[in-house]
Amino acid sequence: MEKLFKLKKHNTNVRTEVIAGITTFFAMAYIIFVNPNYLSATGMDFTAVMVATCLSAAVGTLLTAFVANVPFAQAPGMGLNAFFTYTICMGMGYTWQQGLTIVLISGILFLIIAISPLRGKIIASIPPCLKNAISVGIGLFITFVGLLNAGIVKCFGPEGGSYTDMGVITKGSALLAIIGLLITAVLIAHKVKAAIFIGIIITTIIGIPMGVTTMPETVTMSHIGNLSLTMFQFDFGGLMAMGILPLITAVISFAIVDCFDTVGTLLGTAGNAGMLDKDGNLPGGDKALIADAVATIFGACVGTSTVTTYVESSTGIQEGGRTGLASVVTGVLFLVCILLAPIAGIVPGAATAPALIIVGVYMMMGAVKIDWSDFETALPCFLTIAMMPFAYSISDGIGFGFISYTVIKLFRGKAKEVPVLIYILSAIFIVMYVLTLK
């Protein structure tokens, strides 16, 4: 373990990494069932997508562990799966087979970027103030995810999210999450080791008499054979049926969102945990982009939407995870779930929601590193922070931050202070927003 992951160099040990890996898995295990719910609306087989979800998450997470040696996990991305279902398939009219083909092409495009010199330059070019803002924005984003998962906050409206309001917090999942939040907070205040992990376990147990935690009636492996229904189901021939512009828009959108969801998660989470070097970069972060791109290509081959680095990895990092060993544990648990998927559903979203909310608290610390008296940077930082939870997108927060930072500096006569790559990325975001106008 020491030779593979350099535990002493990262001031960690096997026990800490194992607990961190398990914590991350619990925090993101919901994707095993949520992803098939989204993608099956396109006509894809539910159980086949469930197996593909587990398999792609395992492969992506293990690649991150061994290629980059960082404690981040991967799985089909939330938001990206909704984009696949409601925009690519239902909105633009592509079949799910053509949708998977688009994901494959976008993954290849992302891989080309990741293996080029751009992979390191993208991270290095982001101004320090925006790196801090990304960390804070992700903190609010992950808190919002936790509140939604628990039902403390709910979305209402004809399209499922026109506005938000308080949920019913006196019973069910919301009440359990609040209880779990208080328990975990007390454990952390007493400086109990593995407090977040212990909090998840205790909250899950409390949820049994409350009827929130449910035990599986049966555990079978009959679903594994269904993977053939989605594996390598590509349709290259029909891609041009909708025209070249929609195809380019779809491919670029997937690639850009995947890239900057990953970059934002890596920088924001690692920065909060003190894992960045003196230049504000994450050692191994550029290699993590390669792992992410390969995982997206693999995911398309087995039958799922874009795979990306999960912000829920921050729960394991908060527990002390610092190396790829934590990711190995998470990846192996996803492999186990291919055989025993129902077991992953034992831990309810209400039990992991407190972990997400508490991690959000920790990530707010980055706000004090931003010079709010300098409006040139204050507005871009604010937009970065605000857009992540409000637009429910890490990449949109980064996009708004880049564009506003570039425009303000340009018209202030400080064009030379903006890295060339930020100009290019800002232009790409603008083009993407224009192309995706409805």
PDB file of all heavy atoms in Angstrom, residues 361-398:
ATOM      1  N   VAL A 361     -20.305  23.231   4.976  1.00  0.00           N
ATOM      2  CA  VAL A 361     -19.847  24.164   6.015  1.00  0.00           C
ATOM      3  C   VAL A 361     -18.340  24.357   5.920  1.00  0.00           C
ATOM      4  O   VAL A 361     -17.823  25.485   5.933  1.00  0.00           O
ATOM      5  CB  VAL A 361     -20.226  23.650   7.421  1.00  0.00           C
ATOM      6  CG1 VAL A 361     -19.612  24.548   8.496  1.00  0.00           C
ATOM      7  CG2 VAL A 361     -21.739  23.599   7.584  1.00  0.00           C
ATOM      8  N   TYR A 362     -17.620  23.257   5.829  1.00  0.00           N
ATOM      9  CA  TYR A 362     -16.157  23.322   5.755  1.00  0.00           C
ATOM     10  C   TYR A 362     -15.686  24.088   4.519  1.00  0.00           C
ATOM     11  O   TYR A 362     -14.705  24.837   4.567  1.00  0.00           O
ATOM     12  CB  TYR A 362     -15.568  21.917   5.737  1.00  0.00           C
ATOM     13  CG  TYR A 362     -15.539  21.239   7.083  1.00  0.00           C
ATOM     14  CD1 TYR A 362     -16.352  20.146   7.351  1.00  0.00           C
ATOM     15  CD2 TYR A 362     -14.686  21.690   8.094  1.00  0.00           C
ATOM     16  CE1 TYR A 362     -16.327  19.512   8.585  1.00  0.00           C
ATOM     17  CE2 TYR A 362     -14.662  21.075   9.335  1.00  0.00           C
ATOM     18  CZ  TYR A 362     -15.475  19.982   9.587  1.00  0.00           C
ATOM     19  OH  TYR A 362     -15.451  19.370  10.811  1.00  0.00           O
ATOM     20  N   MET A 363     -16.380  23.897   3.397  1.00  0.00           N
ATOM     21  CA  MET A 363     -15.926  24.499   2.145  1.00  0.00           C
ATOM     22  C   MET A 363     -16.220  25.994   2.060  1.00  0.00           C
ATOM     23  O   MET A 363     -15.690  26.686   1.196  1.00  0.00           O
ATOM     24  CB  MET A 363     -16.540  23.759   0.957  1.00  0.00           C
ATOM     25  CG  MET A 363     -16.090  22.311   0.890  1.00  0.00           C
ATOM     26  SD  MET A 363     -16.620  21.425  -0.584  1.00  0.00           S
ATOM     27  CE  MET A 363     -15.503  22.117  -1.792  1.00  0.00           C
ATOM     28  N   MET A 364     -17.017  26.516   2.971  1.00  0.00           N
ATOM     29  CA  MET A 364     -17.266  27.960   3.015  1.00  0.00           C
ATOM     30  C   MET A 364     -16.034  28.734   3.465  1.00  0.00           C
ATOM     31  O   MET A 364     -15.954  29.945   3.296  1.00  0.00           O
ATOM     32  CB  MET A 364     -18.439  28.262   3.950  1.00  0.00           C
ATOM     33  CG  MET A 364     -19.792  27.809   3.438  1.00  0.00           C
ATOM     34  SD  MET A 364     -20.238  28.568   1.866  1.00  0.00           S
ATOM     35  CE  MET A 364     -20.376  30.276   2.361  1.00  0.00           C
ATOM     36  N   MET A 365     -15.057  28.018   4.038  1.00  0.00           N
ATOM     37  CA  MET A 365     -13.858  28.698   4.527  1.00  0.00           C
ATOM     38  C   MET A 365     -13.112  29.433   3.422  1.00  0.00           C
ATOM     39  O   MET A 365     -12.394  30.397   3.679  1.00  0.00           O
ATOM     40  CB  MET A 365     -12.925  27.684   5.193  1.00  0.00           C
ATOM     41  CG  MET A 365     -13.509  27.014   6.421  1.00  0.00           C
ATOM     42  SD  MET A 365     -12.423  25.730   7.071  1.00  0.00           S
ATOM     43  CE  MET A 365     -13.453  25.040   8.371  1.00  0.00           C
ATOM     44  N   GLY A 366     -13.276  28.970   2.183  1.00  0.00           N
ATOM     45  CA  GLY A 366     -12.589  29.613   1.065  1.00  0.00           C
ATOM     46  C   GLY A 366     -13.047  31.046   0.829  1.00  0.00           C
ATOM     47  O   GLY A 366     -12.328  31.832   0.198  1.00  0.00           O
ATOM     48  N   ALA A 367     -14.218  31.413   1.355  1.00  0.00           N
ATOM     49  CA  ALA A 367     -14.759  32.758   1.129  1.00  0.00           C
ATOM     50  C   ALA A 367     -13.887  33.837   1.763  1.00  0.00           C
ATOM     51  O   ALA A 367     -13.800  34.958   1.249  1.00  0.00           O
ATOM     52  CB  ALA A 367     -16.185  32.850   1.662  1.00  0.00           C
ATOM     53  N   VAL A 368     -13.218  33.520   2.867  1.00  0.00           N
ATOM     54  CA  VAL A 368     -12.410  34.525   3.557  1.00  0.00           C
ATOM     55  C   VAL A 368     -11.127  34.834   2.784  1.00  0.00           C
ATOM     56  O   VAL A 368     -10.459  35.843   3.057  1.00  0.00           O
ATOM     57  CB  VAL A 368     -12.054  34.068   4.994  1.00  0.00           C
ATOM     58  CG1 VAL A 368     -13.316  33.817   5.794  1.00  0.00           C
ATOM     59  CG2 VAL A 368     -11.179  32.823   4.977  1.00  0.00           C
ATOM     60  N   LYS A 369     -10.766  33.976   1.820  1.00  0.00           N
ATOM     61  CA  LYS A 369      -9.544  34.184   1.037  1.00  0.00           C
ATOM     62  C   LYS A 369      -9.789  35.081  -0.178  1.00  0.00           C
ATOM     63  O   LYS A 369      -8.858  35.403  -0.908  1.00  0.00           O
ATOM     64  CB  LYS A 369      -8.990  32.835   0.576  1.00  0.00           C
ATOM     65  CG  LYS A 369      -8.640  31.883   1.717  1.00  0.00           C
ATOM     66  CD  LYS A 369      -8.179  30.541   1.186  1.00  0.00           C
ATOM     67  CE  LYS A 369      -7.911  29.562   2.318  1.00  0.00           C
ATOM     68  NZ  LYS A 369      -7.500  28.232   1.793  1.00  0.00           N
ATOM     69  N   ILE A 370     -11.047  35.471  -0.390  1.00  0.00           N
ATOM     70  CA  ILE A 370     -11.407  36.319  -1.529  1.00  0.00           C
ATOM     71  C   ILE A 370     -11.423  37.777  -1.085  1.00  0.00           C
ATOM     72  O   ILE A 370     -11.975  38.115  -0.040  1.00  0.00           O
ATOM     73  CB  ILE A 370     -12.786  35.922  -2.093  1.00  0.00           C
ATOM     74  CG1 ILE A 370     -12.751  34.464  -2.585  1.00  0.00           C
ATOM     75  CG2 ILE A 370     -13.202  36.849  -3.228  1.00  0.00           C
ATOM     76  CD1 ILE A 370     -14.120  33.916  -2.961  1.00  0.00           C
ATOM     77  N   ASP A 371     -10.810  38.647  -1.892  1.00  0.00           N
ATOM     78  CA  ASP A 371     -10.805  40.085  -1.589  1.00  0.00           C
ATOM     79  C   ASP A 371     -12.109  40.700  -2.095  1.00  0.00           C
ATOM     80  O   ASP A 371     -12.225  41.113  -3.244  1.00  0.00           O
ATOM     81  CB  ASP A 371      -9.598  40.752  -2.264  1.00  0.00           C
ATOM     82  CG  ASP A 371      -9.497  42.241  -1.912  1.00  0.00           C
ATOM     83  OD1 ASP A 371     -10.309  42.704  -1.076  1.00  0.00           O
ATOM     84  OD2 ASP A 371      -8.614  42.919  -2.469  1.00  0.00           O
ATOM     85  N   TRP A 372     -13.090  40.784  -1.191  1.00  0.00           N
ATOM     86  CA  TRP A 372     -14.412  41.279  -1.576  1.00  0.00           C
ATOM     87  C   TRP A 372     -14.432  42.795  -1.771  1.00  0.00           C
ATOM     88  O   TRP A 372     -15.404  43.348  -2.300  1.00  0.00           O
ATOM     89  CB  TRP A 372     -15.451  40.876  -0.538  1.00  0.00           C
ATOM     90  CG  TRP A 372     -15.646  39.394  -0.463  1.00  0.00           C
ATOM     91  CD1 TRP A 372     -15.184  38.555   0.500  1.00  0.00           C
ATOM     92  CD2 TRP A 372     -16.338  38.572  -1.410  1.00  0.00           C
ATOM     93  NE1 TRP A 372     -15.540  37.254   0.225  1.00  0.00           N
ATOM     94  CE2 TRP A 372     -16.249  37.232  -0.948  1.00  0.00           C
ATOM     95  CE3 TRP A 372     -17.019  38.825  -2.601  1.00  0.00           C
ATOM     96  CZ2 TRP A 372     -16.818  36.166  -1.631  1.00  0.00           C
ATOM     97  CZ3 TRP A 372     -17.586  37.765  -3.293  1.00  0.00           C
ATOM     98  CH2 TRP A 372     -17.492  36.450  -2.809  1.00  0.00           C
ATOM     99  N   SER A 373     -13.356  43.485  -1.374  1.00  0.00           N
ATOM    100  CA  SER A 373     -13.299  44.939  -1.559  1.00  0.00           C
ATOM    101  C   SER A 373     -12.885  45.311  -2.981  1.00  0.00           C
ATOM    102  O   SER A 373     -13.054  46.460  -3.398  1.00  0.00           O
ATOM    103  CB  SER A 373     -12.308  45.561  -0.568  1.00  0.00           C
ATOM    104  OG  SER A 373     -10.986  45.101  -0.817  1.00  0.00           O
ATOM    105  N   ASP A 374     -12.344  44.353  -3.738  1.00  0.00           N
ATOM    106  CA  ASP A 374     -11.942  44.584  -5.126  1.00  0.00           C
ATOM    107  C   ASP A 374     -13.038  44.054  -6.040  1.00  0.00           C
ATOM    108  O   ASP A 374     -13.146  42.851  -6.273  1.00  0.00           O
ATOM    109  CB  ASP A 374     -10.612  43.876  -5.407  1.00  0.00           C
ATOM    110  CG  ASP A 374     -10.135  44.092  -6.844  1.00  0.00           C
ATOM    111  OD1 ASP A 374     -10.761  44.885  -7.562  1.00  0.00           O
ATOM    112  OD2 ASP A 374      -9.140  43.439  -7.230  1.00  0.00           O
ATOM    113  N   PHE A 375     -13.862  44.985  -6.567  1.00  0.00           N
ATOM    114  CA  PHE A 375     -15.042  44.557  -7.331  1.00  0.00           C
ATOM    115  C   PHE A 375     -14.666  43.831  -8.624  1.00  0.00           C
ATOM    116  O   PHE A 375     -15.455  43.055  -9.145  1.00  0.00           O
ATOM    117  CB  PHE A 375     -15.934  45.763  -7.657  1.00  0.00           C
ATOM    118  CG  PHE A 375     -17.352  45.368  -7.954  1.00  0.00           C
ATOM    119  CD1 PHE A 375     -18.220  45.015  -6.932  1.00  0.00           C
ATOM    120  CD2 PHE A 375     -17.827  45.324  -9.263  1.00  0.00           C
ATOM    121  CE1 PHE A 375     -19.528  44.640  -7.203  1.00  0.00           C
ATOM    122  CE2 PHE A 375     -19.125  44.955  -9.545  1.00  0.00           C
ATOM    123  CZ  PHE A 375     -19.982  44.600  -8.512  1.00  0.00           C
ATOM    124  N   GLU A 376     -13.468  44.077  -9.139  1.00  0.00           N
ATOM    125  CA  GLU A 376     -13.024  43.400 -10.362  1.00  0.00           C
ATOM    126  C   GLU A 376     -13.021  41.883 -10.187  1.00  0.00           C
ATOM    127  O   GLU A 376     -13.301  41.143 -11.134  1.00  0.00           O
ATOM    128  CB  GLU A 376     -11.604  43.846 -10.739  1.00  0.00           C
ATOM    129  CG  GLU A 376     -11.524  45.245 -11.283  1.00  0.00           C
ATOM    130  CD  GLU A 376     -10.100  45.601 -11.657  1.00  0.00           C
ATOM    131  OE1 GLU A 376      -9.296  44.683 -11.918  1.00  0.00           O
ATOM    132  OE2 GLU A 376      -9.778  46.801 -11.678  1.00  0.00           O
ATOM    133  N   THR A 377     -12.678  41.447  -9.021  1.00  0.00           N
ATOM    134  CA  THR A 377     -12.676  40.012  -8.736  1.00  0.00           C
ATOM    135  C   THR A 377     -13.892  39.582  -7.913  1.00  0.00           C
ATOM    136  O   THR A 377     -14.283  38.422  -7.966  1.00  0.00           O
ATOM    137  CB  THR A 377     -11.389  39.610  -7.989  1.00  0.00           C
ATOM    138  OG1 THR A 377     -11.273  40.388  -6.787  1.00  0.00           O
ATOM    139  CG2 THR A 377     -10.176  39.855  -8.862  1.00  0.00           C
ATOM    140  N   ALA A 378     -14.461  40.533  -7.158  1.00  0.00           N
ATOM    141  CA  ALA A 378     -15.591  40.181  -6.286  1.00  0.00           C
ATOM    142  C   ALA A 378     -16.789  39.686  -7.090  1.00  0.00           C
ATOM    143  O   ALA A 378     -17.411  38.673  -6.736  1.00  0.00           O
ATOM    144  CB  ALA A 378     -15.991  41.382  -5.427  1.00  0.00           C
ATOM    145  N   LEU A 379     -17.141  40.400  -8.173  1.00  0.00           N
ATOM    146  CA  LEU A 379     -18.303  39.993  -8.964  1.00  0.00           C
ATOM    147  C   LEU A 379     -18.101  38.630  -9.632  1.00  0.00           C
ATOM    148  O   LEU A 379     -18.983  37.767  -9.531  1.00  0.00           O
ATOM    149  CB  LEU A 379     -18.649  41.055 -10.009  1.00  0.00           C
ATOM    150  CG  LEU A 379     -19.857  40.697 -10.889  1.00  0.00           C
ATOM    151  CD1 LEU A 379     -21.126  40.612 -10.048  1.00  0.00           C
ATOM    152  CD2 LEU A 379     -20.047  41.694 -12.026  1.00  0.00           C
ATOM    153  N   PRO A 380     -16.974  38.399 -10.324  1.00  0.00           N
ATOM    154  CA  PRO A 380     -16.762  37.069 -10.908  1.00  0.00           C
ATOM    155  C   PRO A 380     -16.795  35.954  -9.858  1.00  0.00           C
ATOM    156  O   PRO A 380     -17.346  34.879 -10.109  1.00  0.00           O
ATOM    157  CB  PRO A 380     -15.375  37.179 -11.554  1.00  0.00           C
ATOM    158  CG  PRO A 380     -15.224  38.622 -11.862  1.00  0.00           C
ATOM    159  CD  PRO A 380     -15.912  39.332 -10.741  1.00  0.00           C
ATOM    160  N   CYS A 381     -16.222  36.228  -8.686  1.00  0.00           N
ATOM    161  CA  CYS A 381     -16.241  35.227  -7.619  1.00  0.00           C
ATOM    162  C   CYS A 381     -17.661  34.979  -7.125  1.00  0.00           C
ATOM    163  O   CYS A 381     -18.073  33.834  -6.903  1.00  0.00           O
ATOM    164  CB  CYS A 381     -15.352  35.672  -6.459  1.00  0.00           C
ATOM    165  SG  CYS A 381     -13.580  35.605  -6.818  1.00  0.00           S
ATOM    166  N   PHE A 382     -18.418  36.064  -6.967  1.00  0.00           N
ATOM    167  CA  PHE A 382     -19.801  35.927  -6.516  1.00  0.00           C
ATOM    168  C   PHE A 382     -20.637  35.128  -7.515  1.00  0.00           C
ATOM    169  O   PHE A 382     -21.418  34.254  -7.133  1.00  0.00           O
ATOM    170  CB  PHE A 382     -20.425  37.306  -6.298  1.00  0.00           C
ATOM    171  CG  PHE A 382     -21.889  37.249  -5.949  1.00  0.00           C
ATOM    172  CD1 PHE A 382     -22.297  36.881  -4.679  1.00  0.00           C
ATOM    173  CD2 PHE A 382     -22.860  37.535  -6.904  1.00  0.00           C
ATOM    174  CE1 PHE A 382     -23.643  36.810  -4.362  1.00  0.00           C
ATOM    175  CE2 PHE A 382     -24.207  37.464  -6.596  1.00  0.00           C
ATOM    176  CZ  PHE A 382     -24.600  37.097  -5.327  1.00  0.00           C
ATOM    177  N   LEU A 383     -20.480  35.442  -8.808  1.00  0.00           N
ATOM    178  CA  LEU A 383     -21.243  34.721  -9.833  1.00  0.00           C
ATOM    179  C   LEU A 383     -20.846  33.248  -9.874  1.00  0.00           C
ATOM    180  O   LEU A 383     -21.702  32.372 -10.053  1.00  0.00           O
ATOM    181  CB  LEU A 383     -21.017  35.367 -11.204  1.00  0.00           C
ATOM    182  CG  LEU A 383     -21.656  36.739 -11.409  1.00  0.00           C
ATOM    183  CD1 LEU A 383     -21.257  37.314 -12.766  1.00  0.00           C
ATOM    184  CD2 LEU A 383     -23.180  36.661 -11.291  1.00  0.00           C
ATOM    185  N   THR A 384     -19.569  32.964  -9.692  1.00  0.00           N
ATOM    186  CA  THR A 384     -19.110  31.576  -9.634  1.00  0.00           C
ATOM    187  C   THR A 384     -19.802  30.843  -8.501  1.00  0.00           C
ATOM    188  O   THR A 384     -20.303  29.725  -8.666  1.00  0.00           O
ATOM    189  CB  THR A 384     -17.586  31.525  -9.436  1.00  0.00           C
ATOM    190  OG1 THR A 384     -16.941  32.180 -10.527  1.00  0.00           O
ATOM    191  CG2 THR A 384     -17.099  30.085  -9.352  1.00  0.00           C
ATOM    192  N   ILE A 385     -19.827  31.485  -7.339  1.00  0.00           N
ATOM    193  CA  ILE A 385     -20.430  30.874  -6.143  1.00  0.00           C
ATOM    194  C   ILE A 385     -21.937  30.715  -6.304  1.00  0.00           C
ATOM    195  O   ILE A 385     -22.503  29.658  -6.036  1.00  0.00           O
ATOM    196  CB  ILE A 385     -20.113  31.724  -4.895  1.00  0.00           C
ATOM    197  CG1 ILE A 385     -18.608  31.691  -4.604  1.00  0.00           C
ATOM    198  CG2 ILE A 385     -20.908  31.238  -3.685  1.00  0.00           C
ATOM    199  CD1 ILE A 385     -18.168  32.722  -3.579  1.00  0.00           C
ATOM    200  N   ALA A 386     -22.605  31.789  -6.756  1.00  0.00           N
ATOM    201  CA  ALA A 386     -24.070  31.795  -6.806  1.00  0.00           C
ATOM    202  C   ALA A 386     -24.630  30.871  -7.879  1.00  0.00           C
ATOM    203  O   ALA A 386     -25.639  30.191  -7.661  1.00  0.00           O
ATOM    204  CB  ALA A 386     -24.566  33.224  -7.041  1.00  0.00           C
ATOM    205  N   MET A 387     -23.987  30.824  -9.044  1.00  0.00           N
ATOM    206  CA  MET A 387     -24.547  30.065 -10.155  1.00  0.00           C
ATOM    207  C   MET A 387     -24.486  28.556  -9.951  1.00  0.00           C
ATOM    208  O   MET A 387     -25.294  27.825 -10.516  1.00  0.00           O
ATOM    209  CB  MET A 387     -23.836  30.438 -11.452  1.00  0.00           C
ATOM    210  CG  MET A 387     -24.199  31.817 -11.978  1.00  0.00           C
ATOM    211  SD  MET A 387     -25.973  32.020 -12.284  1.00  0.00           S
ATOM    212  CE  MET A 387     -26.210  30.877 -13.650  1.00  0.00           C
ATOM    213  N   MET A 388     -23.539  28.093  -9.153  1.00  0.00           N
ATOM    214  CA  MET A 388     -23.441  26.641  -8.963  1.00  0.00           C
ATOM    215  C   MET A 388     -24.701  26.049  -8.325  1.00  0.00           C
ATOM    216  O   MET A 388     -25.298  25.128  -8.872  1.00  0.00           O
ATOM    217  CB  MET A 388     -22.189  26.286  -8.159  1.00  0.00           C
ATOM    218  CG  MET A 388     -20.914  26.441  -8.964  1.00  0.00           C
ATOM    219  SD  MET A 388     -19.472  25.803  -8.093  1.00  0.00           S
ATOM    220  CE  MET A 388     -18.171  26.354  -9.202  1.00  0.00           C
ATOM    221  N   PRO A 389     -25.160  26.566  -7.180  1.00  0.00           N
ATOM    222  CA  PRO A 389     -26.405  26.019  -6.629  1.00  0.00           C
ATOM    223  C   PRO A 389     -27.654  26.481  -7.372  1.00  0.00           C
ATOM    224  O   PRO A 389     -28.593  25.701  -7.555  1.00  0.00           O
ATOM    225  CB  PRO A 389     -26.407  26.521  -5.179  1.00  0.00           C
ATOM    226  CG  PRO A 389     -25.580  27.761  -5.211  1.00  0.00           C
ATOM    227  CD  PRO A 389     -24.537  27.521  -6.251  1.00  0.00           C
ATOM    228  N   PHE A 390     -27.680  27.752  -7.810  1.00  0.00           N
ATOM    229  CA  PHE A 390     -28.882  28.282  -8.441  1.00  0.00           C
ATOM    230  C   PHE A 390     -29.124  27.667  -9.821  1.00  0.00           C
ATOM    231  O   PHE A 390     -30.272  27.439 -10.210  1.00  0.00           O
ATOM    232  CB  PHE A 390     -28.810  29.804  -8.553  1.00  0.00           C
ATOM    233  CG  PHE A 390     -28.839  30.512  -7.220  1.00  0.00           C
ATOM    234  CD1 PHE A 390     -28.304  31.774  -7.068  1.00  0.00           C
ATOM    235  CD2 PHE A 390     -29.405  29.898  -6.110  1.00  0.00           C
ATOM    236  CE1 PHE A 390     -28.322  32.426  -5.843  1.00  0.00           C
ATOM    237  CE2 PHE A 390     -29.434  30.532  -4.879  1.00  0.00           C
ATOM    238  CZ  PHE A 390     -28.889  31.799  -4.745  1.00  0.00           C
ATOM    239  N   ALA A 391     -28.056  27.427 -10.583  1.00  0.00           N
ATOM    240  CA  ALA A 391     -28.196  26.792 -11.899  1.00  0.00           C
ATOM    241  C   ALA A 391     -28.050  25.276 -11.789  1.00  0.00           C
ATOM    242  O   ALA A 391     -28.209  24.569 -12.779  1.00  0.00           O
ATOM    243  CB  ALA A 391     -27.158  27.336 -12.869  1.00  0.00           C
ATOM    244  N   TYR A 392     -27.751  24.798 -10.588  1.00  0.00           N
ATOM    245  CA  TYR A 392     -27.541  23.378 -10.311  1.00  0.00           C
ATOM    246  C   TYR A 392     -26.482  22.803 -11.267  1.00  0.00           C
ATOM    247  O   TYR A 392     -26.656  21.767 -11.881  1.00  0.00           O
ATOM    248  CB  TYR A 392     -28.852  22.594 -10.450  1.00  0.00           C
ATOM    249  CG  TYR A 392     -28.874  21.316  -9.632  1.00  0.00           C
ATOM    250  CD1 TYR A 392     -28.971  21.374  -8.253  1.00  0.00           C
ATOM    251  CD2 TYR A 392     -28.795  20.067 -10.230  1.00  0.00           C
ATOM    252  CE1 TYR A 392     -28.986  20.215  -7.487  1.00  0.00           C
ATOM    253  CE2 TYR A 392     -28.805  18.907  -9.476  1.00  0.00           C
ATOM    254  CZ  TYR A 392     -28.911  18.993  -8.106  1.00  0.00           C
ATOM    255  OH  TYR A 392     -28.908  17.835  -7.345  1.00  0.00           O
ATOM    256  N   SER A 393     -25.365  23.539 -11.368  1.00  0.00           N
ATOM    257  CA  SER A 393     -24.319  23.137 -12.305  1.00  0.00           C
ATOM    258  C   SER A 393     -22.984  23.745 -11.909  1.00  0.00           C
ATOM    259  O   SER A 393     -22.859  24.970 -11.843  1.00  0.00           O
ATOM    260  CB  SER A 393     -24.675  23.570 -13.731  1.00  0.00           C
ATOM    261  OG  SER A 393     -23.574  23.415 -14.599  1.00  0.00           O
ATOM    262  N   ILE A 394     -21.998  22.896 -11.650  1.00  0.00           N
ATOM    263  CA  ILE A 394     -20.659  23.378 -11.345  1.00  0.00           C
ATOM    264  C   ILE A 394     -20.069  24.084 -12.558  1.00  0.00           C
ATOM    265  O   ILE A 394     -19.457  25.143 -12.458  1.00  0.00           O
ATOM    266  CB  ILE A 394     -19.756  22.215 -10.898  1.00  0.00           C
ATOM    267  CG1 ILE A 394     -20.241  21.654  -9.553  1.00  0.00           C
ATOM    268  CG2 ILE A 394     -18.294  22.665 -10.771  1.00  0.00           C
ATOM    269  CD1 ILE A 394     -19.529  20.397  -9.112  1.00  0.00           C
ATOM    270  N   SER A 395     -20.249  23.495 -13.728  1.00  0.00           N
ATOM    271  CA  SER A 395     -19.646  24.065 -14.938  1.00  0.00           C
ATOM    272  C   SER A 395     -20.242  25.426 -15.278  1.00  0.00           C
ATOM    273  O   SER A 395     -19.528  26.326 -15.742  1.00  0.00           O
ATOM    274  CB  SER A 395     -19.803  23.108 -16.120  1.00  0.00           C
ATOM    275  OG  SER A 395     -21.160  22.890 -16.417  1.00  0.00           O
ATOM    276  N   ASP A 396     -21.547  25.628 -15.038  1.00  0.00           N
ATOM    277  CA  ASP A 396     -22.144  26.938 -15.306  1.00  0.00           C
ATOM    278  C   ASP A 396     -21.578  27.998 -14.367  1.00  0.00           C
ATOM    279  O   ASP A 396     -21.381  29.153 -14.756  1.00  0.00           O
ATOM    280  CB  ASP A 396     -23.668  26.878 -15.162  1.00  0.00           C
ATOM    281  CG  ASP A 396     -24.336  26.260 -16.383  1.00  0.00           C
ATOM    282  OD1 ASP A 396     -23.737  26.313 -17.469  1.00  0.00           O
ATOM    283  OD2 ASP A 396     -25.441  25.717 -16.243  1.00  0.00           O
ATOM    284  N   GLY A 397     -21.331  27.622 -13.126  1.00  0.00           N
ATOM    285  CA  GLY A 397     -20.704  28.555 -12.191  1.00  0.00           C
ATOM    286  C   GLY A 397     -19.333  28.971 -12.684  1.00  0.00           C
ATOM    287  O   GLY A 397     -18.976  30.157 -12.658  1.00  0.00           O
ATOM    288  N   ILE A 398     -18.541  28.001 -13.159  1.00  0.00           N
ATOM    289  CA  ILE A 398     -17.214  28.307 -13.696  1.00  0.00           C
ATOM    290  C   ILE A 398     -17.336  29.166 -14.948  1.00  0.00           C
ATOM    291  O   ILE A 398     -16.575  30.127 -15.140  1.00  0.00           O
ATOM    292  CB  ILE A 398     -16.449  27.003 -13.994  1.00  0.00           C
ATOM    293  CG1 ILE A 398     -16.152  26.262 -12.686  1.00  0.00           C
ATOM    294  CG2 ILE A 398     -15.149  27.282 -14.735  1.00  0.00           C
ATOM    295  CD1 ILE A 398     -15.546  24.892 -12.869  1.00  0.00           C
TER     296      ILE A 398
END
